Amino acid sequence: MKRIYLDNAATTPVDERVLKEMLPYFCEKFGNPSAVYTEAHEAKFAIEAARLQVAKAINADPKDVYFTSGGSESDNWALKGVAFKNRAKGNHIITTAIEHHAILHTCEFLEKEGFDITYLPVDDQGLISLDDLKAAIRDDTILVSVMFANNEIGTIEPIEAIANVVKEKGIIFHSDAVQALGNIPIDVKKLNVDMMSFSSHKIYGPKGVGALYIRKGVPIEPLIHGGAQERRRRASTENVAGIVGFGKAAEIASEELEDNMAHLKALRDALIKGVLGKIPQVRLNGHPVKRLPGNANFCFDYIEGESILLSLDLIGVAGSSGSACTSGSLDPSHVLLAIGLPAGVAHGSLRLTIGRHTTMDEIHYVVDNLVEIIERLRKMSPIDAQSPIDDAVYHH
Ligand SMILES: *Cc1c(COP(=O)(O)O)cnc(C)c1O
């Protein structure tokens, strides 16, 4: 049975074109990029070519692109690096309640180190309010971090407007754009951001590599100390093959962005229309329009997301209930709670994220089978369909 992969927000397969670019850098062009002979120059040259590819995809100056081990490291570096470097100016940081754990858990760590963190709330579609942001800014605020697009519900935040509010106050602005890259246009100059995080494996590149965009002049401490790599800001011998793969993946993502967006959107809309039209007592989570082109996130009354996932897996479909980081735990997603869902409803969530390789036939197969799965699970549900799990937010 051919599998249907609908968890592209968790990770994507490496594109064949990406793998082909990477292969020579394992056994042939294996030199340490910091050395002075031919093998080293080849590797060094490949890293700089990849830096140019990533920079082009986000309209950055290549000198402002720093390679890291992934989205998590980029987020950690942005927050800890700015927090520790600017402590004399203040110890207040603003972020949102719906960030990825790479941001939220870093903030919890910084709280233990004495920093004061404000977590902005979001509305029932996952958007922060500019008025809340303005009201939260203080004289001692040194950093604001707001994600570009949410990994669970797909909501896209108004990053340019947010950046303008933050920059007007002379505060450093960071955005986690891991889910945005390859899915919506990114122009770091137009968006007016100081720092932005990216990850390779979400855009059909290899795992374990990412980037942090740091605009020239932003005061930041290194996170990894050691050698002089990455302009003395991020030590460790470069993951050359990984960086080469990330560069190629970023190039493909930006060249094919428009076609890919149209493809994802057509399939996503068919999926949402099918599910909302054919299944009773279901709600779409996230913003109806300002959402990632490949993201669909639903809550089904009276059932556990986990049991939907198991049933889907049996018919060859890979989906997710919230995020990869929370599945396996019984806590409802912090994002679904932040948009106001009661814990009982948040447990019945299903995230299906469409990718480059998904077909319309696959979407039809999933919708048709989901109708039966939900009906069957509801019949065996221990949650009494008559008893109200109802809530003002849910039944709007
Ligand atoms: C996947 C993801 C990350 C983490 O990226 P890794 O490369 O897996 O460390 C961070 N933020 C968001 C929004 C993500 O989706």
Side-chain angles (χ1 to χ4, degrees):
M1 181 172 56
K2 190 177 170 289
R3 302 277 305 172
I4 297 176
Y5 182 72
L6 291 177
D7 200 14
N8 288 278
T11 195
T12 52
V14 172
D15 190 294
E16 299 286 349
R17 293 167 288 180
V18 168
L19 179 63
K20 191 165 162 275
E21 294 284 316
M22 293 172 67
L23 286 175
Y25 293 91
F26 288 101
C27 301
E28 299 153 45
K29 306 180 182 184
F30 62 87
N32 187 320
S34 300
V36 291
Y37 33 76
T38 302
E39 292 89 333
H41 293 322
E42 281 175 338
K44 181 80 190 147
F45 185 80
I47 291 171
E48 295 318 312
R51 200 183 310 280
L52 204 59
Q53 288 170 312
V54 172
K56 243 180 115 181
I58 59 170
N59 192 31
D61 184 333
K63 288 204 274 314
D64 295 345
V65 173
Y66 297 84
F67 289 115
T68 65
S69 66
S72 298
E73 186 191 320
S74 297
D75 284 346
N76 270 263
W77 185 12
L79 267 57
K80 292 174 189 168
V82 165
F84 288 119
K85 183 81 178 182
N86 297 275
R87 200 161 205 179
K89 284 199 197 130
N91 74 341
H92 182 230
I93 295 169
I94 300 172
T95 187
T96 81
I98 61 164
E99 297 295 313
H100 189 273
H101 283 139
I103 295 286
L104 290 179
H105 290 165
T106 302
C107 285
E108 282 169 27
F109 164 79
L110 288 171
E111 278 178 312
K112 278 190 247 155
E113 293 293 309
F115 290 91
D116 191 10
I117 318 274
T118 298
Y119 300 90
L120 296 174
V122 293
D123 66 14
D124 60 355
Q125 297 178 327
L127 288 173
I128 69 156
S129 121
L130 289 182
D131 289 334
D132 286 347
L133 171 63
K134 285 175 194 161
I137 292 175
R138 314 191 311 217
D139 289 343
D140 62 344
T141 307
I142 51 170
L143 172 68
V144 175
S145 179
V146 177
M147 73 196 319
F148 200 162
N150 184 268
N151 48 302
E152 291 186 40
I153 57 174
T155 299
I156 299 168
E157 303 294 336
I159 290 302
E160 190 176 349
I162 294 167
N164 290 338
V165 167
V166 175
K167 298 300 292 296
E168 202 170 273
K169 301 274 183 185
I171 299 165
I172 298 168
F173 181 57
H174 166 259
S175 181
D176 175 340
V178 170
Q179 291 289 333
L181 188 61
N183 287 316
I184 52 175
I186 299 180
D187 179 330
V188 292
K189 289 181 184 147
K190 181 166 177 288
L191 290 169
N192 198 15
V193 295
D194 292 314
M195 297 185 289
M196 219 170 218
S197 301
F198 304 100
S199 176
S200 156
H201 75 99
K202 306 283 175 79
I203 64 159
Y204 307 87
K207 292 168 181 59
V209 58
L212 182 62
Y213 163 75
I214 309 174
R215 200 174 47 76
K216 188 172 185 292
V218 171
I220 183 168
E221 244 0 300
L223 183 69
I224 315 275
H225 297 95
Q229 293 88 355
E230 297 297 286
R231 298 160 60 80
R232 301 188 172 275
R233 292 183 120 167
R234 199 274 184 186
S236 182
T237 302
E238 297 88 338
N239 172 7
V240 181
I243 289 170
V244 165
F246 181 26
K248 184 65 181 174
E251 183 184 81
I252 294 170
S254 74
E255 279 174 5
E256 299 181 354
L257 181 63
E258 267 179 49
D259 288 349
N260 189 42
M261 283 179 74
H263 169 73
L264 297 179
K265 200 166 169 298
L267 269 55
R268 178 201 70 188
D269 291 347
L271 173 62
I272 291 174
K273 190 159 168 262
V275 168
L276 298 187
K278 293 184 181 175
I279 301 175
Q281 286 169 296
V282 55
R283 97 172 231 152
L284 176 70
N285 297 314
H287 198 283
V289 186
K290 294 172 189 167
R291 75 182 300 129
L292 287 171
N295 173 292
N297 187 311
F298 306 101
C299 274
F300 299 91
D301 275 5
Y302 316 120
I303 16 183
E304 296 276 330
E306 226 45 28
S307 38
I308 308 173
L309 290 185
L310 294 176
S311 302
L312 282 174
D313 190 40
L314 287 175
I315 61 155
V317 179
S320 145
S321 175
S323 71
C325 324
T326 49
S327 59
S329 98
L330 287 175
D331 294 338
S333 135
H334 67 285
V335 177
L336 297 179
L337 295 180
I339 61 171
L341 295 186
V345 175
H347 271 133
S349 78
L350 173 69
R351 180 187 73 177
L352 298 175
T353 44
I354 294 153
R356 198 178 272 177
H357 307 294
T358 314
T359 66
M360 193 60 98
D361 282 347
E362 291 179 335
I363 295 299
H364 291 147
Y365 174 87
V366 169
V367 171
D368 291 344
N369 281 278
L370 206 50
V371 173
E372 286 165 37
I373 288 171
I374 300 296
E375 207 177 83
R376 180 167 48 78
L377 290 175
R378 278 191 179 144
K379 277 190 195 131
M380 5 187 282
S381 169
I383 311 169
D384 181 3
Q386 304 309 315
S387 76
I389 49 170
D390 106 309
D391 172 90
V393 175
Y394 179 53
H395 292 283
H396 57 220

